[in-house]
């Protein structure tokens, strides 16, 4: 895609709401095909979701909506979303899936398909993902493949999903031998973010999300990185000032939207969003998704990527130390379990979906706010850094 076909990112304030923000993601990979959708950030907005969907023209032909969630999230927020949809005239069904990365499987996907069939979902029907990244990824892939594609709305309820996974159209499930090996690029019609739901977010999940927030500071937004450095703690919501939380939500969503608008299907630029994920995904897989959650594994991956960048003289030890200080503020792990098999991590890296021509792609920082994509990292350097992390 040439620069003259790349659309600009449009940012606007929602009408009649001084506390709401809207980011428009416009995708145009071909001059004849243009799509866009909103990322809406608005407190106390769950009860207004149905009205927004009607305003978007959804449900004109089919009133059927399938909510996909997990037990804990649906207990907290399911009634509000379901009532909002029903009050707007939608015919609502739900499917409740077990929570956790290890359930991001073909079996769970089949449960969504079964519910869609039972609800007689049509091509003009709609799926709503109410939950974190696992729910969003699986619902997105189900929507992409049910009847060859139906409408999708993301309603993220975790900070990690709000700042990252719910935006950009990456959907999928895990294969037993690799994370996210089965999936599709499939954009939602709307991303609806209500920050007030974060009050029920467990502290561990908040810490995990901070890994993705720090990632955006390293790869894209030096100002965000600086503001994170100014915060004394990043490990609990009560220590994060409301102004900083607002900055985090808006800056991360804006960064993701800008990248995806320019490179929807990871042809080049979008690969930078995988910073920390290459080794992070391998760590998740080798530990069977039980030792670390996704954000914790990404934190370890960023520690490794930063150390590799120091080894290759791409950035300075001082910059790496700044990154480490943020990871420490978020109380994210910085080392690997001593009983982990490093060679299994190397094998898992070779199965990563970002491998090209047999070479592993790494995203490495060159300065705060800037990274590069390279496949010129030797296995010796990777092993050296992994051993360093193992013994910290």
């Amino acid at each position: 895609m040439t620069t003259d076909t790349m659309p600009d990112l449009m940012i606007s304030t929602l009408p009649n709401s001084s506390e709401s923000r809207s980011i428009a993601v416009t995708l145009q990979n071909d001059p004849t095909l243009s799509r866009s959708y909103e990322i809406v950030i608005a407190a106390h907005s769950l009860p207004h979701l149905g009205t927004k969907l009607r305003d978007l023209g959804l449900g004109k032909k089919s009133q059927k909506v399938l909510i996909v969630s997990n037990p804990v999230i649906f207990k907290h927020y399911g009634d509000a979303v379901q009532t909002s949809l029903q009050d707007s005239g939608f015919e609502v069904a739900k499917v409740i899936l077990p929570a956790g990365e290890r359930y991001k499987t073909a079996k769970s996907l089949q449960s969504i398909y079964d519910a869609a069939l039972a609800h007689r979902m049509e091509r003009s029907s709609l799926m709503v993902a109410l939950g974190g990244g696992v729910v969003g990824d699986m619902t997105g892939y189900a929507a992409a493949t049910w009847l060859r594609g139906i409408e999708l709305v993301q309603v993220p309820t975790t900070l990690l999903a709000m700042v990252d996974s719910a935006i950009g159209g990456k959907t999928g499930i895990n294969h037993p031998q690799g994370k996210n090996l089965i999936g599709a690029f499939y954009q939602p019609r709307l991303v609806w973010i209500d920050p007030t739901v974060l009050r029920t977010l467990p502290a561990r999940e908040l810490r995990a999300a901070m890994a993705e927030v720090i990632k955006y500071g390293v790869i894209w937004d030096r100002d965000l990185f600086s503001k994170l450095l100014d915060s004394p703690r990043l490990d609990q919501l009560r220590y994060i000032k409301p102004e900083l939380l607002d900055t985090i939500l808006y800056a991360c969503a804006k960064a993701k939207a800008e990248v995806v608008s320019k490179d929807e299907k990871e042809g080049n630029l979008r690969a930078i969003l995988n910073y920390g994920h290459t080794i992070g995904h391998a760590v998740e897989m080798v530990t069977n998704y039980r030792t670390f959650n996704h954000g914790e594994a990404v934190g370890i991956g960023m520690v490794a990527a930063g150390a590799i960048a120091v080894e290759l003289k791409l950035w300075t030890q001082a910059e790496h130390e700044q990154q480490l200080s943020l990871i420490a503020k978020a109380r994210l792990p910085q080392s690997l379990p001593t009983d982990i098999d490093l060679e299994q991590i190397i094998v898992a890296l070779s199965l990563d979906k970002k491998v090209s021509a047999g070479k592993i792609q790494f995203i490495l920082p060159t300065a705060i706010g800037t990274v590069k994509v390279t496949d010129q990292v030797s296995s010796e350097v990777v092993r050296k850094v992994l051993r360093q992390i193992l013994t910290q």
Side-chain angles (χ1 to χ4, degrees), residues 355-376:
V355 171
S356 179
K359 293 184 177 181
I360 302 168
Q361 282 193 338
F362 285 89
I363 294 83
L364 301 177
T366 57
I368 302 300
T370 308
V371 290
K372 66 178 292 186
V373 182
T374 179
D375 60 7
Q376 300 300 306

Side-chain angles (χ1 to χ4, degrees), residues 171-248:
T171 71
I173 59 173
N174 298 331
H175 186 277
Q177 296 187 48
K179 184 178 170 71
N180 294 330
L181 292 179
I182 304 163
F185 289 96
Y186 195 70
Q187 301 297 337
R189 280 294 302 274
L190 174 71
V191 179
W192 193 255
I193 297 173
D194 183 346
T196 58
V197 306
L198 295 177
R199 69 180 185 273
T200 58
L201 186 67
R204 185 182 181 190
E205 294 298 320
L206 178 86
R207 294 194 297 269
M210 292 309 302
E212 298 286 356
V213 174
I214 294 166
K215 175 193 79 174
Y216 282 112
V218 174
I219 71 171
W220 196 259
D221 193 332
R222 189 182 185 93
D223 183 58
L224 172 63
F225 191 93
S226 296
K227 288 179 179 178
L228 294 174
L229 281 176
D230 290 339
S231 180
R233 292 179 64 170
L234 298 169
D235 59 319
Q236 294 184 45
L237 192 60
R238 59 181 170 150
Y239 296 119
I240 299 174
K241 293 181 179 179
E243 312 85 69
L244 179 58
L245 179 61
D246 181 67
T247 295
I248 286 170

Side-chain angles (χ1 to χ4, degrees), residues 115-357:
L117 181 61
H119 195 42
R120 298 293 187 265
M121 299 282 283
E122 303 169 359
R123 283 187 172 174
S124 55
S125 299
L126 171 70
M127 288 189 185
V128 173
L130 175 65
V134 172
V135 165
D137 282 2
M138 288 195 295
T139 309
Y141 188 53
T145 50
W146 183 254
L147 301 178
R148 297 188 175 91
I150 65 173
E151 299 288 9
L152 167 69
V153 169
Q154 294 279 4
V155 185
T157 59
T158 66
L159 182 59
L160 191 151
M162 290 177 183
V163 302
D164 192 73
S165 62
I167 304 168
K170 275 191 175 180
T171 71
I173 59 173
N174 298 331
H175 186 277
Q177 296 187 48
K179 184 178 170 71
N180 294 330
L181 292 179
I182 304 163
F185 289 96
Y186 195 70
Q187 301 297 337
R189 280 294 302 274
L190 174 71
V191 179
W192 193 255
I193 297 173
D194 183 346
T196 58
V197 306
L198 295 177
R199 69 180 185 273
T200 58
L201 186 67
R204 185 182 181 190
E205 294 298 320
L206 178 86
R207 294 194 297 269
M210 292 309 302
E212 298 286 356
V213 174
I214 294 166
K215 175 193 79 174
Y216 282 112
V218 174
I219 71 171
W220 196 259
D221 193 332
R222 189 182 185 93
D223 183 58
L224 172 63
F225 191 93
S226 296
K227 288 179 179 178
L228 294 174
L229 281 176
D230 290 339
S231 180
R233 292 179 64 170
L234 298 169
D235 59 319
Q236 294 184 45
L237 192 60
R238 59 181 170 150
Y239 296 119
I240 299 174
K241 293 181 179 179
E243 312 85 69
L244 179 58
L245 179 61
D246 181 67
T247 295
I248 286 170
L249 290 172
Y250 190 68
C252 292
K254 180 174 178 289
K256 184 76 176 274
E258 288 175 337
V259 172
V260 172
S261 292
K262 296 175 181 178
D263 181 14
E264 180 186 3
K265 296 188 176 180
E266 208 166 284
N268 186 14
L269 177 64
R270 184 168 179 165
I272 70 173
L273 297 173
N274 292 314
Y275 178 62
H277 289 58
T278 304
I279 288 177
H281 282 172
V283 169
E284 283 184 276
M285 192 181 79
V286 169
T287 55
N288 296 313
Y289 305 106
R290 293 178 182 270
T291 304
F292 303 104
N293 61 30
H294 176 66
E296 291 167 345
V298 169
I300 292 172
M302 290 194 296
V303 172
I308 291 172
V310 171
E311 285 287 327
L312 299 181
K313 295 182 171 41
L314 295 177
W315 76 341
T316 65
Q317 181 65 34
E319 289 168 314
H320 183 46
E321 292 293 338
Q322 283 188 312
Q323 175 182 251
L324 291 177
S325 73
L326 290 186
I327 293 171
K329 284 183 181 184
R331 287 182 56 201
L332 289 164
Q334 299 185 45
S335 60
L336 292 167
T338 55
D339 60 348
I340 200 167
D341 188 337
L342 298 187
E343 289 307 309
Q344 285 188 10
I345 294 180
I346 299 297
V347 171
L349 286 172
S350 69
L351 298 173
D352 191 276
K353 63 183 182 297
K354 296 178 288 297
V355 171
S356 179

